[in-house]
Amino acid sequence: MYDKKSDKAVEFISNEEILRCLDESKKQKPLEFYMDIVEKAKKEKGLTHEEVAYLINCNKDEVWDEIFKLANKIKNDYYGNRIVLFAPLYLSNYCINGCTYCPYHAKNKTIPRKKLTQEEIKKETIALMDMGHKRLALEMGEDDRINTMDYLLESIKTIYSIKHENGSIRRVNVNIAATTVENYRKLKEAGIGTYILFQETYNKENYEILHPTGPKHNYDYHTEAMDRAMEGGIDDVGVGVLFGLETYDYELVGLMMHKEHLEEKFGFGPHTISVPRICPADDIDTNDFENALSDDIFIKIVSLLRIAVPYTGIIVSTRESQKSREKALKVGVSQISGGSRTSVGGYCVEEEETSQFDTSDKRSLDEVVNWLLDMGHIPSFCTACYREGRTGDRFMSLCKSKQILNVCGPNALLTLKEYLMDYASDETKKKGEEIIQKELANIPNEKVREKTKEYLQEIENGNRD
Ligand code: SAM
Ligand code: SF4
């Protein structure tokens, strides 16, 4: 029985309800039916999982043209032309799980195993800071005896304590296996930004096959992780699906139901949604996964998420190629990684042996910033919301009322200015300065405009946040 209020994963993401929605949505309806849903989305208050099911299975081009346009508009209404940048930092690839799509699975005896020491973490972080990064996502495999919570907490402390000539890492997000409320509380106390955990797939039966061994095999424990994280006080959680493991419409409806559950239970939903697609890796052949997505479907998924959950960040990583990221940026993506290495220690040593997956976008951070500027985006390294306590429901209510735009636009310009002064190539600097001048003129509130000019001048004079 589908019970939205239930705390049990199998009930709040009910297989029967997903199948019912998909069954119904596959019967094609008249054009007006879909256009009515798009009209509702134009109010920018989001859509339900049922409405999303209808749209993803709609085969009318006119409807999709409207969705793409609306996704772009909603992105601009809520986030402006800012794109937040971050990089992953792999701490350890030891893992006791058996995930069949990941080369870090326990049975892979060919991949070298590596766990960074605190000294190595320091070096990796400095290498990332030297590029200009201010926001990291920590990644590690699951192994209670090797990758302990104490090790992770110490690593976070190490990272936050590093003082670089141009500032420090301002936000450490964490992507680790599902854990206990107590551990989530410790992560919160350590000052993490977002706790990220991908669901991989919402289909329980398939989930259990794809995760044959290890603690991750437990679907309920994994799926209820965000509830525990929120109970532990983490109010920014990042959800996602590894697209390619199950049919995409199933995942999309599951993702929406997960979001609805969190909203209903805690009063606000996920801070971000990630849309990774399965990539080739050490002993992983993507041809073994029959649900791999085409580029066209990928873009449909991103745009649909944008109109269905207007106030949640959408993240696309370097798993995607430059071309695919370009398309995704036009339909609602708000955060991307840049200059990423997906190997343990990869920022200091050019080796790919311990890589988790093959990245498609291998450009440097400066190249990514330059490319974003060419497309009219403002690359942002801003972390002000997090540092000023605008997280969870406070962030959501600001975002829902679109106030985030008035606060974030000027902040993004300041962090871009810092990047241009401290790290950018001459060409990037020139383009960046031009866009700052243009954007400055667009700040409607005169007081804010004058204050921003003042701060920009301070940065020019060598002051840093
Ligand atoms: N070990 C933790 C976990 O599994 O939740 C977190 C870190 S893991 C390095 C991060 C994510 O990488 C996983 O959630 C999975 O979705 C993704 N991943 C694993 N193998 C992949 C592959 N071959 N291609 C793309 N993404 C992959
Ligand atoms: Fe381990 Fe995470 Fe890879 Fe699974 S996805 S094998 S848990 S690192």
Side-chain angles (χ1 to χ4, degrees), residues 303-400:
S303 53
L304 207 39
L305 283 172
R306 175 41 71 230
I307 70 167
V309 199
Y311 42 83
T312 293
I314 298 184
I315 304 181
V316 166
S317 73
T318 53
R319 289 176 181 87
E320 295 301 321
S321 65
Q322 173 178 344
K323 202 167 140 214
S324 153
R325 300 209 305 168
E326 247 157 53
K327 284 190 192 158
L329 282 165
K330 288 195 184 119
V331 291
V333 164
S334 55
Q335 276 194 41
I336 63 169
S337 47
S340 306
R341 296 275 184 283
T342 59
S343 50
V344 185
Y347 293 106
C348 291
V349 185
E350 267 293 334
E351 56 99 354
E352 306 240 302
E353 276 200 321
T354 61
S355 277
Q356 193 198 12
F357 52 82
D358 301 341
T359 51
S360 292
D361 188 341
K362 297 185 191 302
R363 292 171 298 164
S364 68
L365 182 61
D366 189 68
E367 287 171 311
V368 170
V369 169
N370 196 313
W371 159 79
L372 286 172
L373 291 167
D374 273 343
M375 290 185 291
H377 294 293
I378 301 174
S380 170
F381 296 88
C382 191
T383 57
C385 279
Y386 159 70
R387 286 181 302 146
E388 285 161 27
R390 290 193 295 268
T391 58
D393 53 348
R394 286 174 299 279
F395 174 84
M396 284 297 163
S397 55
L398 254 176
C399 200
K400 282 181 184 171

Side-chain angles (χ1 to χ4, degrees), residues 447-458:
K447 257 194 186 153
V448 177
R449 192 165 58 238
E450 287 313 309
K451 205 75 202 154
T452 310
K453 274 189 197 162
E454 227 176 83
Y455 286 145
L456 285 167
Q457 189 54 50
E458 282 185 23

Side-chain angles (χ1 to χ4, degrees), residues 176-371:
I176 57 150
T179 184
T180 60
V181 175
E182 197 195 339
N183 280 340
Y184 287 125
R185 201 162 282 130
K186 288 181 185 167
L187 286 171
K188 173 73 184 172
E189 280 161 15
I192 69 159
T194 312
Y195 169 64
I196 303 160
L197 180 68
F198 300 157
Q199 176 60 32
E200 319 301 6
T201 174
Y202 283 101
N203 183 325
K204 183 175 183 187
E205 207 179 309
N206 200 1
Y207 179 97
E208 288 175 349
I209 296 168
L210 290 158
H211 304 94
T213 53
K216 197 166 166 181
H217 176 73
N218 187 335
Y219 172 88
D220 288 351
Y221 190 72
H222 186 82
T223 313
E224 290 158 10
M226 292 314 189
D227 295 63
R228 292 194 300 282
M230 284 170 135
E231 275 156 31
I234 297 179
D235 45 12
D236 282 355
V237 298
V239 297
V241 154
L242 183 56
F243 282 100
L245 301 180
E246 170 56 68
T247 57
Y248 58 86
D249 54 357
Y250 192 104
E251 304 294 33
L252 207 46
V253 179
L255 196 54
M256 288 300 295
M257 288 171 83
H258 198 176
K259 170 236 151 211
E260 285 164 9
H261 162 73
L262 295 175
E263 270 181 350
E264 196 152 312
K265 186 166 164 190
F266 298 97
F268 57 95
H271 184 66
T272 55
I273 298 178
S274 296
V275 285
R277 278 197 277 185
I278 188 159
C279 300
D282 184 59
D283 68 341
I284 308 298
D285 183 350
T286 42
N287 293 323
D288 295 342
F289 296 88
E290 60 187 36
N291 290 310
L293 290 189
S294 69
D295 288 355
D296 285 352
I297 295 291
F298 178 69
I299 293 304
K300 284 184 174 177
I301 288 171
V302 174
S303 53
L304 207 39
L305 283 172
R306 175 41 71 230
I307 70 167
V309 199
Y311 42 83
T312 293
I314 298 184
I315 304 181
V316 166
S317 73
T318 53
R319 289 176 181 87
E320 295 301 321
S321 65
Q322 173 178 344
K323 202 167 140 214
S324 153
R325 300 209 305 168
E326 247 157 53
K327 284 190 192 158
L329 282 165
K330 288 195 184 119
V331 291
V333 164
S334 55
Q335 276 194 41
I336 63 169
S337 47
S340 306
R341 296 275 184 283
T342 59
S343 50
V344 185
Y347 293 106
C348 291
V349 185
E350 267 293 334
E351 56 99 354
E352 306 240 302
E353 276 200 321
T354 61
S355 277
Q356 193 198 12
F357 52 82
D358 301 341
T359 51
S360 292
D361 188 341
K362 297 185 191 302
R363 292 171 298 164
S364 68
L365 182 61
D366 189 68
E367 287 171 311
V368 170
V369 169
N370 196 313
W371 159 79

Side-chain angles (χ1 to χ4, degrees), residues 123-190:
K123 286 189 183 145
E124 287 280 288
T125 309
I126 290 170
L128 282 157
M129 287 166 144
D130 284 343
M131 289 183 209
H133 277 297
K134 306 283 186 216
R135 192 189 267 253
L136 304 184
L138 300 187
E139 310 274 342
M140 69 179 191
E142 178 168 17
D143 189 328
D144 275 0
R145 284 171 313 149
I146 299 177
N147 308 331
T148 62
M149 185 48 62
D150 283 348
Y151 166 73
L152 179 60
L153 295 171
E154 195 187 350
S155 307
I156 295 168
K157 216 171 169 182
T158 300
I159 294 168
Y160 277 137
S161 70
I162 299 168
K163 296 281 167 270
H164 190 268
E165 51 184 345
N166 301 323
S168 53
I169 292 293
R170 297 168 182 159
R171 181 174 176 126
V172 176
N173 297 334
V174 168
N175 181 190
I176 57 150
T179 184
T180 60
V181 175
E182 197 195 339
N183 280 340
Y184 287 125
R185 201 162 282 130
K186 288 181 185 167
L187 286 171
K188 173 73 184 172
E189 280 161 15

Side-chain angles (χ1 to χ4, degrees), residues 421-436:
M421 295 287 298
D422 298 335
Y423 309 101
S425 62
D426 289 347
E427 193 193 326
T428 306
K429 193 168 176 188
K430 188 165 170 284
K431 286 181 193 169
E433 292 293 352
E434 276 166 22
I435 217 165
I436 289 177

